[in-house]
Amino acid sequence: MRKRNRLSAESYIKGILEGDRVILSRAITVIESNHPLDLPLADEILEGILPHTGNSLRIGITGVPGVGKSTFIESFGKTITTQGKKLAVLTIDPSSQRSKGSILGDKTRMEELSHDPLAYIRPSASGSTLGGVNQKTRETMLLCEAAGHEVILVETVGVGQSETAVHGMVDFFLLLMLAGAGDELQGMKKGIMEMADLLVITKADGDNKQKCKLAASNYRNALHLFPPTPSGWEPKVQLCSSVEKDGLEAIWETMDSYFNKVKINGYFQHKREEQHGQWLEESINAHLRNDFFSNLNVKSLFENIEPEVVHGKTAVSFAARKLLQTYKESTN
Amino acid sequence: MRKRNRLSAESYIKGILEGDRVILSRAITVIESNHPLDLPLADEILEGILPHTGNSLRIGITGVPGVGKSTFIESFGKTITTQGKKLAVLTIDPSSQRSKGSILGDKTRMEELSHDPLAYIRPSASGSTLGGVNQKTRETMLLCEAAGHEVILVETVGVGQSETAVHGMVDFFLLLMLAGAGDELQGMKKGIMEMADLLVITKADGDNKQKCKLAASNYRNALHLFPPTPSGWEPKVQLCSSVEKDGLEAIWETMDSYFNKVKINGYFQHKREEQHGQWLEESINAHLRNDFFSNLNVKSLFENIEPEVVHGKTAVSFAARKLLQTYKESTN
């Protein structure tokens, strides 16, 4: 067994609450670990910091590759830290198996922000299951909150399943878009536009600005046709240029009015509570599925029976029952 | 034990394949039953009819209450049966616990269609879980296909979680809308508009017609801004009046061109296979969850710990692990 080199739960908790970034990073590594020895330690850390969580504004940011997410977060992040606010940026990309190399990658693509003492950047661990990624990201978010980060940006890539997951863990959902719908939207998941609290059209600079204004006006008209949001908030469309640093303050002001509104009308608290309940359900589901599919007998039967189901040769109900029977027999 | 009065699997299969509606109905009752004695019989029936399934056009229809779903299905259904096609209508309403009374209710609200020898109307059994409803509805769909129904309409109420489920079991998704977005959309689930292959504005008759034309044009513009569909199909917006029987033929023609397109470009088959895989996953998930939450020890711990999680007093990870531990201890 490799040397684990762990601190005591108390040391982690103390370090986090003092805002020690090294301890915070090491605690996140414990949380992300799936090693059985780390589980009780992770539980202790989480229980210890729990009373100090929940005080940040949690903001999800998504958009297809090429929309300029990193550049946006770099510029927008500076807007936040310039106000003296502590910021954490968590990035999720379930399509790539992130390593320490890509942590460096993230820091390189947000170079200015990564040297900002008020900003903390951390890629979310890639789990084997999406449920896993979600849970780790949520817990990382809690740790960052306990470390005093007042704004948390959760970045996701906008083309997979992670957007819905991120939407379920944040207070505010920001969608970055390019002017000129069409090829640029290829791969974006259906339903995302309707989830956005704010739609920002990026790269609104130089010759592109006029095109972006037109796009914004089209999107504004479209958003009026969507079902109303349960928050009572009317989704907005804004422009921004990360290069010219234009529109960033206005985006922050929009978020500010959103938070004012939902904190007063009670939706903020209501949504947080609803999310806690959902996290519990998702966490249970992820564990149950994980136990099931990591069973070797189930695995080998699944590999045989799944193609038959897909090609309509075996009924779903029969296959499911057979798999569950195999699972029960091999766990009893 | 009450008298079960079941036929042999062979008799059910033979009756279904011969298009015997009484036998079909009784077979659906077997499929819907959760009685342990019915499970192997249900499996046998499903395996027997499986080679005769998959030949229908599966169409999902949704819309908020008041949009005129029943009237639409009544008129649109007649359009289909007038062409000599056998139609089945399955209705899902997870919000109400349906009884035999409401079967009658469904038939009353689609009176003409319910007397049509080419139409078969059946409300889907309310299961305790949504997963349960889905599975039963999908299996009912298969039985109807084996009984020779060429078009299957799956109706859902448009305000809950069932739309996504229905979207996952059909080939074509039709959204009914009223002209004049606003209060009428209240309660419609976010993301549904983006899933629609066809958006039909109902009640386009009399004084309302002009308003509907304007709404259609607005929605058409909005749909252009959505991400492209994986099918290569461009979602359409059409008008219809169920009262004046106007626009129904055109809707059927739109569906026809959709099916022509996706059968040629391979998306039809691809989507069906993907759905089969998803059904298997969902079915497994539903069973695992069901086993978990029906455990009495789990149930009582959940009732205590869930409010603590919701109010941020207990960490999700800790609660989940505690619940899973309780589950394992009480099943071993």
Side-chain angles (χ1 to χ4, degrees):
Chain A
M1 211 181 82
R2 70 195 156 95
K3 197 163 163 261
R4 306 207 45 78
N5 192 23
R6 298 294 191 227
L7 309 174
S8 68
E10 293 68 35
S11 308
Y12 284 115
I13 294 165
K14 187 166 169 288
I16 292 168
L17 295 181
E18 284 169 353
D20 183 323
R21 295 160 69 110
V22 175
I23 300 283
L24 172 62
S25 291
R26 289 180 62 184
I28 295 174
T29 304
V30 174
I31 298 291
E32 287 176 347
S33 161
N34 288 317
H35 195 289
L37 285 177
D38 283 328
L39 293 180
L41 181 58
D43 272 352
E44 265 192 88
I45 297 172
L46 281 166
E47 285 291 325
I49 55 113
L50 200 62
H52 308 277
T53 63
N55 300 317
S56 79
L57 305 179
R58 303 166 179 171
I59 297 164
I61 297 185
T62 195
V64 292
V67 77
K69 277 192 298 298
S70 311
T71 326
F72 175 81
I73 292 174
E74 170 101 338
S75 312
F76 185 61
K78 289 304 286 181
T79 309
I80 294 169
T81 57
T82 302
Q83 298 181 13
K85 288 191 159 55
K86 274 184 84 178
L87 169 75
V89 180
L90 313 180
T91 60
I92 303 182
D93 181 1
S95 63
S96 76
Q97 291 287 322
R98 286 181 179 275
S99 63
K100 277 182 183 162
S102 78
I103 297 187
L104 197 64
D106 269 323
K107 294 203 169 164
T108 312
R109 62 189 184 94
M110 298 177 198
E111 194 164 6
E112 214 187 327
L113 206 56
S114 69
H115 294 110
D116 188 327
L118 288 176
Y120 178 78
I121 303 177
R122 174 95 186 191
S124 224
S126 63
S128 53
T129 59
L130 189 65
V133 174
N134 299 348
Q135 195 186 322
K136 305 297 189 190
T137 307
R138 290 187 309 236
E139 291 169 356
T140 302
M141 194 165 75
L142 298 178
L143 262 57
C144 291
E145 286 180 344
H149 292 275
E150 299 156 88
V151 179
I152 306 202
L153 302 181
V154 186
E155 181 208 359
T156 173
V157 79
V159 291
Q161 288 191 280
S162 53
E163 298 67 45
T164 322
V166 169
H167 183 252
M169 69 176 81
V170 296
D171 307 313
F172 187 93
F173 196 66
L174 169 62
L175 175 62
L176 300 180
M177 299 274 274
L178 290 165
D183 287 349
E184 296 91 347
L185 289 175
Q186 202 71 47
M188 183 188 278
K189 220 194 145 201
K190 287 259 160 194
I192 289 192
M193 270 181 61
E194 288 183 54
M195 296 193 304
D197 296 302
L198 172 61
L199 208 151
V200 166
I201 300 177
T202 57
K203 306 187 182 177
D205 35 44
D207 292 349
N208 203 36
K209 198 155 184 174
Q210 211 43 47
K211 203 174 145 199
C212 291
K213 278 187 181 167
L214 181 64
S217 150
N218 288 338
Y219 281 118
R220 250 174 233 126
N221 289 334
L223 291 183
H224 279 299
L225 301 171
F226 284 0
T229 56
S231 57
W233 168 258
E234 282 183 29
K236 304 276 183 289
V237 182
Q238 289 177 254
L239 299 183
C240 112
S241 162
S242 303
V243 181
E244 298 180 1
K245 316 272 182 220
D246 198 24
L248 299 161
E249 298 272 355
I251 291 170
W252 180 245
E253 280 160 22
T254 298
M255 291 180 182
D256 203 46
S257 30
Y258 174 85
F259 283 110
N260 276 335
K261 185 180 181 99
V262 297
K263 283 191 174 176
I264 289 167
N265 73 15
Y267 181 76
F268 181 84
Q269 189 56 30
H270 165 77
K271 189 178 180 184
R272 285 264 175 112
E273 290 179 1
E274 207 176 60
Q275 286 177 339
H276 289 156
Q278 283 161 359
W279 297 357
L280 180 58
E281 298 257 343
E282 280 169 25
S283 183
I284 290 167
N285 289 349
H287 275 102
L288 291 174
R289 281 180 56 82
N290 199 42
D291 282 353
F292 183 80
F293 283 105
S294 60
N295 180 296
L296 292 179
N297 294 333
V298 168
K299 216 169 175 166
S300 98
L301 177 59
F302 187 81
E303 276 160 17
N304 285 315
I305 215 166
E306 201 247 1
E308 286 182 28
V309 169
V310 164
H311 295 109
K313 307 282 175 222
T314 297
V316 169
S317 50
F318 176 78
R321 207 162 296 133
K322 201 89 192 151
L323 283 160
L324 286 150
Q325 200 182 319
T326 304
Y327 180 55
K328 277 179 193 162
E329 280 167 9
S330 60
T331 49
N332 279 347
Chain B
M1 212 182 83
R2 70 196 157 95
K3 196 163 164 262
R4 305 205 47 78
N5 192 22
R6 297 293 191 230
L7 307 176
S8 68
E10 293 69 34
S11 309
Y12 284 115
I13 295 166
K14 185 165 171 287
I16 292 168
L17 295 180
E18 284 168 355
D20 183 324
R21 296 159 69 109
V22 175
I23 300 282
L24 173 62
S25 292
R26 289 179 63 184
I28 295 174
T29 304
V30 174
I31 298 292
E32 288 176 347
S33 162
N34 288 316
H35 196 288
L37 284 177
D38 284 328
L39 293 181
L41 181 58
D43 272 352
E44 266 192 86
I45 297 172
L46 281 166
E47 285 290 327
I49 54 112
L50 200 62
H52 309 277
T53 62
N55 300 317
S56 80
L57 305 179
R58 303 167 179 170
I59 297 163
I61 298 184
T62 195
V64 292
V67 77
K69 277 191 299 299
S70 311
T71 325
F72 175 81
I73 292 174
E74 170 100 339
S75 312
F76 185 60
K78 289 304 285 181
T79 309
I80 294 169
T81 57
T82 302
Q83 298 181 12
K85 287 192 161 53
K86 274 184 84 177
L87 169 76
V89 180
L90 313 179
T91 60
I92 302 182
D93 181 0
S95 62
S96 76
Q97 293 287 323
R98 287 180 178 276
S99 63
K100 278 182 183 162
S102 79
I103 296 187
L104 197 64
D106 270 322
K107 294 203 170 165
T108 313
R109 64 189 182 93
M110 299 178 198
E111 194 163 5
E112 215 186 327
L113 206 55
S114 68
H115 292 110
D116 188 326
L118 288 175
Y120 178 77
I121 303 176
R122 174 96 184 191
S124 225
S126 63
S128 53
T129 60
L130 189 64
V133 175
N134 299 349
Q135 195 186 320
K136 304 297 189 191
T137 307
R138 289 187 310 236
E139 291 169 356
T140 302
M141 195 165 74
L142 298 178
L143 262 55
C144 291
E145 286 180 343
H149 293 275
E150 299 156 88
V151 179
I152 306 202
L153 302 181
V154 186
E155 181 208 359
T156 174
V157 78
V159 291
Q161 289 191 280
S162 54
E163 297 68 44
T164 322
V166 170
H167 183 252
M169 70 176 80
V170 296
D171 307 312
F172 187 94
F173 196 66
L174 169 63
L175 175 62
L176 300 180
M177 299 273 274
L178 290 165
D183 287 349
E184 297 90 347
L185 288 175
Q186 202 71 49
M188 183 189 278
K189 220 193 146 202
K190 287 258 160 196
I192 289 191
M193 269 182 61
E194 287 183 55
M195 296 193 304
D197 297 301
L198 172 62
L199 208 151
V200 166
I201 299 177
T202 57
K203 304 187 183 176
D205 34 45
D207 292 349
N208 204 34
K209 198 155 185 176
Q210 211 44 47
K211 203 174 145 199
C212 291
K213 278 187 180 169
L214 182 64
S217 151
N218 288 336
Y219 280 119
R220 250 174 233 127
N221 289 334
L223 291 183
H224 280 299
L225 301 170
F226 283 2
T229 56
S231 58
W233 168 258
E234 282 184 28
K236 304 275 181 290
V237 182
Q238 289 178 253
L239 299 183
C240 111
S241 163
S242 304
V243 181
E244 298 180 1
K245 315 272 182 221
D246 198 23
L248 298 161
E249 297 272 355
I251 292 170
W252 179 245
E253 281 161 23
T254 298
M255 291 180 181
D256 203 45
S257 31
Y258 174 85
F259 283 110
N260 277 334
K261 184 180 180 101
V262 297
K263 283 191 174 176
I264 288 167
N265 73 14
Y267 182 76
F268 181 84
Q269 189 55 29
H270 166 77
K271 189 178 180 184
R272 285 266 174 111
E273 290 178 1
E274 207 176 61
Q275 285 178 339
H276 289 155
Q278 283 162 358
W279 296 358
L280 180 58
E281 298 257 343
E282 280 169 25
S283 182
I284 291 167
N285 289 348
H287 275 102
L288 292 174
R289 281 179 57 81
N290 199 42
D291 281 353
F292 184 81
F293 283 104
S294 60
N295 179 297
L296 292 178
N297 294 332
V298 168
K299 215 169 177 167
S300 99
L301 177 59
F302 188 83
E303 275 161 18
N304 285 315
I305 215 165
E306 200 248 0
E308 286 182 27
V309 169
V310 165
H311 296 107
K313 306 284 174 221
T314 298
V316 169
S317 50
F318 176 79
R321 206 161 298 132
K322 201 89 192 149
L323 282 160
L324 286 149
Q325 200 183 321
T326 304
Y327 180 54
K328 277 178 192 162
E329 281 167 8
S330 61
T331 49
N332 282 346

